[in-house]
Structure formats: C-alpha cells, structure tokens
Amino acid sequence: MAINESAILKSELRWAMIVGGIVAIILIAILYAAIAMHVNPPSNREYVDPKTLHLSAEFTEANLGTRVDPDGHIVARVIATQFEFVPNCFVLPANRDVTIRLTSPDVIHGILVTGTNVNTMVVPGYVAQVHTMFTKTGDLLMPCHEFCGLGHSQMLATVRVVPPGQFHPGPDGRIACGDRR
Ligand code: CUA
C-alpha cells in the first residue's frame, strides 16, 4: 500500500483543528467586540406606531432633520417612505458623535451612506438608530438599499457633512441643508 492511512488521518485532524481554531478566534473576536467594546449591529429595539408617525411624537414633520438636543447630542431624524426620504438632505458635522434615527410608515427600506460604514435596515414599527462619526466632509449619497417598490431606484438622500466650524444650528438647535452658513 502506497498510501499511509494514518498519515492521511493525521493530516485531516490537523486541518480540522486549524479550521476549528480559526472559527474559535472569530467567535471570540465577535464576543469581545460586543461585550468589551460595545460594537453591536446598528439597530436598536425601539417600537413606534407607523400609522401615527406624522401625527404625534418624535417623527412629526416639524421634528425631522438635524437638531442639537439641549444635552448636546446631535440627532438627525429621517423618515424613509415610498419613494423618498424626508428630509431628502440633512446636515451633520464631521468629527463629532452623531446619531441618525430613521423609521418607515410603509414598507421595509434600508440605508447606507456611501464611503462610510453607516448601513441599516429601516423597518416599519421600529426605530433604526445609528451612532457614527463622519471623518470626511462633503455631500454623501444615502440611497435606499432595500427593494421597496417601483420607485426604489429613485429613492435617495444627501448627508451634508460640514466641518465642525461651519456647523451653526439656530437658536432652536436646528439646522437644515437650505440654511445659509
Ligand atoms: Cu426604499 Cu428601496
């Protein structure tokens, strides 16, 4: 017999252990990122009634867009709906912690901000929340990335990332793309 069966078995066992070790390392890295560094999937579990979004609470029209809350948090609130974002442009400063909160009154949408790792689903009934910090300034494209109907390919918004020195919210804490800076 030319082939040594025990050598084959040894080789197979060795590779099984190497693969098992790689899987274990990846699992440990995921758990470490989640538990020690608090790096988790971008969505949180927060319910909102999609039937009354426009009538009361956080996502009424007057509340949409970017606002600096009294405690200093910078939050952009956006509704993703067939087939547009409201507002379709919002301003955020670079190099600052910012929060984007989105929800949908109709079907499942999804967003990503090009050139960044911002990426989340927007599911009716839930608030999708992303904490991030933009490092580059400019107009970043934010398309819908979940097929939501015939107008899906036309559904996009702009994230206008400005230098912190040009981020001047009004006395009410609000700032919009149309504002003069
Ligand atoms: Cu909204 Cu695709």
Side-chain angles (χ1 to χ4, degrees), residues 4-73:
N4 181 340
E5 269 196 37
S6 83
I8 292 174
L9 186 64
K10 263 187 195 162
S11 167
E12 283 182 341
L13 282 175
R14 188 166 63 241
W15 281 108
M17 279 170 67
I18 290 171
V19 170
I22 291 171
V23 170
I25 289 168
I26 291 171
L27 275 178
I28 289 166
I30 291 170
L31 286 175
Y32 178 76
I35 295 167
M37 298 167 66
H38 302 291
V39 176
N40 290 298
S43 285
N44 56 340
R45 193 147 148 203
E46 197 180 327
Y47 303 106
V48 65
D49 185 352
K51 295 192 298 294
T52 59
L53 282 187
H54 57 302
L55 296 177
S56 62
E58 185 182 347
F59 288 92
T60 52
E61 193 172 357
N63 267 336
L64 299 179
T66 303
R67 188 172 67 199
V68 183
D69 287 338
D71 58 5
H73 285 134

Side-chain angles (χ1 to χ4, degrees), residues 58-59 63-67 69 75-79 86-87 90 99-102 174:
E58 185 182 347
F59 288 92
N63 267 336
L64 299 179
T66 303
R67 188 172 67 199
D69 287 338
V75 184
R77 294 178 177 85
V78 182
I79 287 183
V86 186
F90 56 95
T99 302
I100 305 172
R101 287 168 63 77
L102 305 108
R174 307 191 59 90

Side-chain angles (χ1 to χ4, degrees), residues 7 12 17 23 36 42 48 51 67-68 80 86 91 97 101 117 119 122 125-126 132 137 143 146 160 162 174 179:
E12 283 182 341
M17 279 170 67
V23 170
V48 65
K51 295 192 298 294
R67 188 172 67 199
V68 183
V86 186
V91 186
D97 283 318
R101 287 168 63 77
N117 65 354
N119 188 329
V122 184
Y126 297 85
T132 191
T137 59
E146 180 69 25
R160 181 160 296 162
V162 299
R174 307 191 59 90
D179 293 352

Side-chain angles (χ1 to χ4, degrees), residues 92-95 134-140 159-164 166:
L92 287 170
N95 303 320
F134 294 105
T135 52
K136 278 178 291 187
T137 59
D139 281 1
L140 307 179
V159 185
R160 181 160 296 162
V161 183
V162 299
Q166 289 176 28

Side-chain angles (χ1 to χ4, degrees), residues 86-155:
V86 186
N88 68 1
C89 177
F90 56 95
V91 186
L92 287 170
N95 303 320
R96 300 271 301 274
D97 283 318
V98 297
T99 302
I100 305 172
R101 287 168 63 77
L102 305 108
T103 191
S104 161
D106 41 46
V107 300
I108 298 177
H109 303 272
I111 61 122
L112 60 82
V113 180
T114 46
T116 73
N117 65 354
V118 174
N119 188 329
T120 184
M121 303 300 297
V122 184
V123 181
Y126 297 85
V127 177
Q129 175 167 276
V130 180
H131 297 296
T132 191
M133 183 184 287
F134 294 105
T135 52
K136 278 178 291 187
T137 59
D139 281 1
L140 307 179
L141 207 59
M142 185 179 90
C144 178
H145 69 35
E146 180 69 25
F147 183 75
C148 50
L150 283 179
H152 163 71
S153 58
Q154 265 66 257
M155 186 169 168

